[in-house]
Amino acid sequence: MDDDAVLGAELAVVVDGARRRAVRDGDRQIDTAHLLHSLLEHDPEVRAAVGGPPQLARLLGYLVQRSIGYGLRWQGSVEDSGALAVVPAEAVRGARDPRDTAGWSPAAAAALAGARDRARLRGEPRAHGIDLLATLTADPDSRAVEVLERAGIRDLNTRLEAGAGGYGGGGPAR
C-alpha cells in the first residue's frame, strides 16, 4: 500500500508542517512536539480533544515558546524514550523529502507508525489526526506529553483510549 494513502492527505499536511517547523527552528530532527503543534494547527478534531479555548491557548503558548526558554534545552538533543534507535527521515513512511531535515526522533517515528496501526485495527485505510494524537500521548517520556503536562493537560491519552467525551470516535470533545 502506498505510504501517502496510509497517511492520507490530512496527516501528510501535518507531517509537512512538522517538517517545516523543525527546519525553521533549527532542530536536528522532527520530534513529537513538532507533530503536536502541526496537528493543532491543522486538525479541528484534535483541537477539540485537547480541551476548550483556555487549554488550547495555554498549550499553543508553550509550543510557540519551544525555540526560546525551555525549548532551547531540546536543541541539539535527540528525543528518545529508549524504545527505538534514531530513525532517518528516509525510513519514515510519509516523509516526502528527507533532505528537508536530518531525521525523525524515535518517538515521532513510533507515533506515526502507531497512528497507522490504530487505523488498521479499526479497519480503516488511513490514519487520522486523532490517531496520531493518541499515539503521541501514549509515550509518557515524549516532548509532546511534556508540553501537554506543562500546559495543565493531563490524562489525555487515557481519555482518548477510553473514547470518553467523544474522543477517538470522530465526535467532538466535551
Side-chain angles (χ1 to χ4, degrees):
M1 185 180 301
D2 181 285
D3 291 333
D4 286 342
V6 173
L7 278 182
E10 174 187 351
L11 285 184
V13 169
V14 169
V15 166
D16 286 343
R19 180 182 298 107
R20 281 190 304 276
R21 187 167 298 287
V23 169
R24 184 181 62 233
D25 291 349
D27 292 333
R28 291 178 34 200
Q29 61 185 346
I30 300 166
D31 65 24
T32 59
H34 292 120
L35 285 170
L36 176 62
H37 199 159
S38 190
L39 266 175
L40 291 167
E41 289 176 333
H42 297 287
D43 192 319
E45 186 178 7
V46 167
R47 287 191 299 272
V50 165
Q55 293 88 2
L56 190 57
R58 185 172 169 99
L59 176 56
L60 287 169
Y62 277 106
L63 286 165
V64 166
Q65 293 178 29
R66 78 172 276 132
S67 62
I68 59 173
Y70 75 90
L72 287 176
R73 68 186 166 86
W74 291 342
Q75 287 184 339
S77 66
V78 174
E79 175 189 35
D80 186 5
S81 63
L84 300 170
V86 174
V87 180
E90 296 91 342
V92 178
R93 288 185 231 165
R96 294 180 190 258
D97 190 349
R99 295 168 298 191
D100 284 348
T101 185
W104 291 77
S105 76
L112 283 170
R116 288 189 301 272
D117 291 344
R118 279 178 55 95
R120 286 186 189 117
L121 286 173
R122 281 194 320 276
E124 292 189 25
R126 286 179 286 294
H128 299 284
I130 206 76
D131 295 314
L132 182 54
L133 180 63
T135 59
L136 285 173
T137 60
D139 180 353
D141 296 324
S142 73
R143 291 178 181 168
V145 169
E146 180 180 340
V147 172
L148 285 162
E149 288 178 353
R150 285 181 180 262
I153 301 166
R154 293 176 178 79
D155 301 321
L156 182 56
N157 184 259
T158 303
R159 293 181 303 192
L160 289 166
E161 291 300 322
Y167 303 128
R174 286 182 230 155

